Amino acid sequence: MRILAGAFKRTPLAVADRPGLRPTPERVRETVFDWLTHLTGGDWQAVRALDMFSGSGAMALECVSRGAARAVAIEKDRAGARAIAAIAEKLGARDRLAVVCGDALLWTKSALETFDIVFIDPPFASRLQLAAAKAALNVLAPGGLIYLESEELIADEALGQTGLTAVRRGKAGAVHYLLAKAA
């Protein structure tokens, strides 16, 4: 795995061998970041991003590489959180990338900041996508976007029940993904 674009383009990212850890495929990340670049007008400098189930840190690091003002990577696994912090340190990005070792759903309840983009890609077996999306609304800035990744299609009706509307959808292999906004 590697960072796809920006200042840290081609930087390799280590992926730990942990149960449930399944990094977002490069092809999917490329599509999603193309969508986000189009929807944000290509200006990443004011973007604040939250990666709720960070894993390898790829989504948060991709945002920072493209010039995002701030990203927060939440990872429950201590070794995973340390690995994300280490790569951010190595890249000189610790001033724009905060790493939190903890529970993303709890963190969003007490966070004092808002985010323009929230990435939600929990381990598929946890089935936390919709609960996390609902929690993310607490920290979503007006006009912000939520990225959801799942092994199953998330129906518009289920999204609507969480207060979201799909903006874009895609599928790559066994991965369904979408961008949504507050309804």
Side-chain angles (χ1 to χ4, degrees):
M1 256 185 67
R2 63 194 169 89
I3 296 174
L4 300 172
F8 311 133
K9 183 177 182 175
R10 294 188 189 96
T11 299
L13 299 174
V15 179
D17 185 15
R18 293 195 322 258
L21 183 61
R22 173 209 28 76
T24 301
E26 284 187 17
R27 187 173 121 199
V28 172
R29 278 189 293 127
E30 186 172 7
T31 298
V32 169
F33 278 90
D34 284 348
W35 290 349
L36 290 169
T37 298
H38 173 74
L39 292 169
T40 61
D43 182 10
W44 284 89
Q45 292 181 359
V47 170
R48 295 157 299 155
L50 172 63
D51 189 354
M52 289 180 67
F53 301 87
S54 203
S56 67
M59 300 306 249
L61 287 161
E62 192 75 46
C63 287
V64 171
S65 179
R66 291 167 186 252
R70 177 164 166 77
V72 175
I74 302 175
E75 175 51 47
K76 204 172 195 174
D77 180 79
R78 282 195 173 111
R82 281 194 304 270
I84 297 165
I87 190 78
E89 184 73 34
K90 177 183 169 188
L91 295 172
R94 289 292 294 167
D95 60 329
R96 292 184 294 135
L97 177 60
V99 180
V100 175
C101 184
D103 184 293
L105 299 180
L106 292 175
W107 190 88
T108 56
K109 288 182 181 179
S110 60
L112 300 175
E113 60 187 308
T114 60
F115 299 91
D116 305 296
I117 302 167
V118 177
F119 296 98
I120 300 172
D121 178 17
F124 285 169
S126 71
R127 303 241 185 261
L128 286 173
Q129 286 83 355
L130 293 176
K134 196 167 193 168
L137 289 173
N138 294 327
V139 295
L140 189 65
L145 295 164
I146 293 178
Y147 169 79
L148 285 164
E149 188 173 313
S150 176
E151 66 183 339
E152 299 171 347
L153 177 74
I154 298 174
D156 286 334
E157 182 179 321
L159 268 180
Q161 290 173 358
T162 62
L164 296 170
T165 303
V167 176
R168 300 256 171 105
R169 290 181 175 274
K171 183 178 185 301
V175 176
H176 293 266
Y177 54 98
L178 63 89
L179 279 179
K181 64 179 181 177

